[in-house]
Amino acid sequence: MTNKLDRLQLITTFLAVAEVRSLSAAARMLGTSQPTVSRRLRDLEQLLGARLASRSTHRFDLTAEGEELQRRAAAWADVWSEWEDGLKSNVALPQGKLSLIAPHSYGHAFLMDAVKVFRLRHPQVEVELRLTDRQVDLVGQAADCWIRVGGSRDQSLHVRPLGRMRRFLVASNALELPHPVHSPDDLRTTPMIGLIPHVLDRLVLHSNALGERRTVPIQTTITTDGLLASYQAMRKGLGVAACAHWLCGGDIASGEVRQILPGWELEPIAIEAVSVAGRFRPARINAFVDILCEEMARLDGFEPA
């Protein structure tokens, strides 16, 4: 049975044949073969129960039914072209509502700077921002874009790498360490703040100056899935925490927080913009992610993709 998509194809084929009055010329116009055009014309006649053309070796003429169909189909094609052009121009412009999901810490910091710039450039787009530090079901939550920390191998998602965030270890000056920390091995018995899923039972550290990479088991006194909560636990002297410069830079400058193991850093963590995989992506998503990349490029310790 001919479906609706087939019917559109049959009509457009018929219009090409009716315009040039030649199966072979219509085939060249449509980029297909003459037998295919002939078959589509027969299928359309069978679908409508009417003969649309009389054809011989040297002549091709529309019947009365064919001329009526050409008139109606041409009017439909004009309307379709206007609608198609209008839709394409609209899709190319950011519009509608941009639904974002991001970590709490980002939403309270540079992500809101990106939202501000986006709204200034595209005031016609409404922004909805939901904050969570947990895994996100983009389809289930009907969201446009998820700003994700850490990579994933989910092939059902479209992933745009934004870059990598450098991280190091910090502690509040209120924290009294049980012993000095001069090397990564000293972290084995140092109280640590765990951050799900990035800082748990071990740390991977590297030193560019020494050209070394070390994996060290750790003991966490407190574990949370919130970056802001882990940072507050560190500031209250409850342990050493992993942190990026954009979050702790001000406290380090004021002297409230100090770096532990200067010269050693954790493995940089990937930052990605994730959306549902598919051929078409609303312009509002790409426009926002471009702005977010601009804002994040200004952050100390961020390495753009």
Side-chain angles (χ1 to χ4, degrees):
M1 181 176 180
T2 304
N3 61 39
K4 292 181 179 179
L5 183 59
D6 292 334
R7 293 174 186 177
L8 292 175
Q9 187 180 64
L10 298 183
I11 289 294
T12 54
T13 299
F14 169 76
L15 285 174
V17 173
E19 178 182 348
V20 298
R21 302 301 172 98
S22 166
L23 297 180
S24 58
R28 289 192 295 271
M29 179 187 299
L30 297 171
T32 187
S33 65
Q34 179 176 332
T36 297
V37 170
S38 181
R39 175 182 54 77
R40 291 176 183 173
L41 187 57
R42 289 195 306 270
D43 288 347
L44 183 59
E45 289 178 327
Q46 183 179 0
L47 177 66
L48 298 177
R51 189 178 183 187
L52 301 175
S54 59
R55 43 202 182 272
S56 64
T57 304
H58 302 291
R59 290 184 59 83
F60 185 99
D61 295 308
L62 296 180
T63 64
E65 291 80 6
E67 291 178 350
E68 176 66 11
L69 178 61
Q70 182 186 24
R71 183 182 65 82
R72 296 194 179 198
W76 164 83
D78 289 341
V79 173
W80 174 277
S81 296
E82 291 178 5
W83 178 84
E84 183 180 18
D85 291 342
L87 182 61
K88 286 180 178 178
S89 62
N90 287 336
V91 169
L93 296 174
Q95 59 180 336
K97 180 172 76 172
L98 176 66
S99 177
L100 299 171
I101 301 179
H104 280 278
S105 55
Y106 287 15
H108 290 284
F110 53 83
L111 185 62
M112 195 54 68
D113 294 331
V115 169
K116 178 182 178 181
V117 175
F118 178 80
R119 283 283 299 146
L120 289 174
R121 293 185 189 176
H122 307 289
Q124 73 278 12
V125 182
E126 176 188 350
V127 177
E128 176 187 80
L129 175 60
R130 285 173 277 173
L131 302 178
T132 179
D133 294 317
R134 297 184 178 276
Q135 290 293 306
V136 171
D137 175 8
L138 271 177
V139 176
Q141 298 191 41
D144 284 328
C145 185
W146 170 28
I147 306 305
R148 182 175 63 189
V149 179
S152 171
R153 297 180 180 179
D154 189 341
Q155 298 299 313
S156 67
L157 299 174
H158 176 272
V159 177
R160 176 175 168 180
L162 304 183
R164 302 194 308 166
M165 194 76 75
R166 294 169 57 188
R167 302 172 299 155
F168 46 87
L169 298 176
V170 294
S172 167
N173 285 327
L175 174 65
E176 294 185 5
L177 294 173
H179 51 74
V181 179
H182 297 303
S183 74
D185 286 333
D186 294 329
L187 296 173
R188 296 172 182 267
T189 54
T190 299
M192 301 290 301
I193 306 297
L195 178 61
I196 302 170
H198 310 296
V199 178
L200 293 174
D201 57 350
R202 66 189 65 236
L203 291 179
V204 178
L205 300 163
H206 69 273
S207 170
N208 291 330
L210 300 176
E212 293 185 22
R213 185 174 183 272
R214 303 281 296 277
T215 300
V216 183
I218 59 172
Q219 299 177 3
T220 54
T221 56
I222 296 175
T223 301
T224 176
D225 65 352
L227 177 59
L228 292 180
S230 70
Y231 188 72
Q232 287 303 314
M234 179 277 299
R235 292 184 80 251
K236 294 182 181 297
L238 297 177
V240 174
C243 191
H245 191 275
W246 67 266
L247 182 57
C248 65
D251 288 336
I252 289 179
S254 69
E256 296 182 24
V257 169
R258 68 188 188 277
Q259 186 174 351
I260 302 296
L261 282 181
W264 289 85
E265 294 186 5
L266 284 77
E267 290 293 291
I269 194 165
I271 312 297
E272 303 168 336
V274 182
S275 55
V276 177
R279 183 177 177 184
F280 302 108
R281 202 171 331 282
R284 60 182 177 270
I285 298 178
N286 291 333
F288 175 78
V289 174
D290 287 344
I291 291 172
L292 180 59
C293 288
E294 295 173 9
E295 294 299 315
M296 294 188 70
R298 299 187 179 97
L299 299 176
D300 289 336
F302 181 71
E303 303 169 345

